[in-house]
Amino acid sequence: MHKLMAMALAMLVGTVLLTAAQDQEPWEVPEEERAVENPIAADDDVLAEGQRLYERNCRMCHGETGLGDGPATARIKPAPPDMSTAEAHDRMTDGEIFYKITVGKRPMREFESRLSEDERWSVVHYVRTLRAG
Ligand code: HEC
């Protein structure tokens, strides 16, 4: 009896740990998605639209300048990574940023059903302006 309970408990703890670990896993992006280029050219209107959409949909988590310090981060785990670093911008292609916005990853929602493709590409252009270094 005790043995069984201990085993059940161990399995439960194992499942919880595994689930927690999965959330921290690197965000895999298919090569073909990484290779997609931004089909719209950045001009003042596109950047203004990207900024408007970022402020409405992303700033609460990613923060004004992409640091990952938005007000909603008080209650979300994991915290959003710093999107303003040169490292983040060099690591991610436009296609990768677009893909991540499109599909999301908990606690970040998907935006495929909320923003049109053009809107998502405008946000990608705006995210590029947040590069700090
Ligand atoms: C509810 C909070 C939340 C919102 C809203 C949100 N994100 Fe995120 N975002 C996250 C978190 C948390 C991660 C890290 C996910 C992971 O890798 O586990 C993330 C990751 C990312 C990444 C990958 C960063 C990297 O270095 O790999 C990009 C790009 C991104 N978000 C862009 C956006 C954009 C653009 C929007 C708005 C359209 C947005 N996010 C909305 C929380 C959020």
Side-chain angles (χ1 to χ4, degrees):
M1 178 63 182
H2 282 123
K3 236 184 191 172
L4 268 178
M5 274 180 64
M7 271 174 66
L9 194 67
M11 277 172 68
L12 185 72
V13 170
T15 309
V16 170
L17 287 178
L18 201 67
T19 312
Q22 273 166 355
D23 281 345
Q24 310 291 338
E25 265 178 22
W27 194 344
E28 304 289 348
V29 177
E31 262 320 304
E32 63 271 24
E33 302 289 350
R34 274 181 54 81
V36 179
E37 288 177 14
N38 198 328
I40 56 177
D43 60 21
D44 288 350
D45 286 347
V46 166
L47 286 174
E49 172 77 343
Q51 177 167 14
R52 186 183 69 81
L53 295 168
Y54 179 88
E55 286 173 356
R56 181 173 297 175
N57 297 285
C58 324
R59 183 174 59 183
M60 73 284 265
C61 290
H62 288 281
E64 186 83 39
T65 59
L67 289 172
D69 59 352
T73 57
R75 50 174 205 279
I76 64 162
K77 268 198 178 94
D82 185 348
M83 278 203 310
S84 70
T85 63
E87 183 280 324
H89 283 269
D90 291 343
R91 170 169 47 82
M92 291 189 284
T93 62
D94 283 357
E96 173 166 349
I97 297 172
F98 179 83
Y99 174 84
K100 288 178 168 178
I101 297 170
T102 302
V103 303
K105 180 172 183 279
R106 231 165 30 97
M108 177 173 156
R109 58 160 290 147
E110 52 77 31
F111 285 92
E112 188 169 18
S113 62
R114 178 175 287 183
L115 303 177
S116 72
E117 285 201 18
D118 279 4
E119 287 175 330
R120 277 173 271 148
W121 283 118
S122 305
V123 175
V124 172
H125 276 311
Y126 182 70
V127 164
R128 286 303 188 194
T129 70
L130 300 176
R131 182 184 180 124

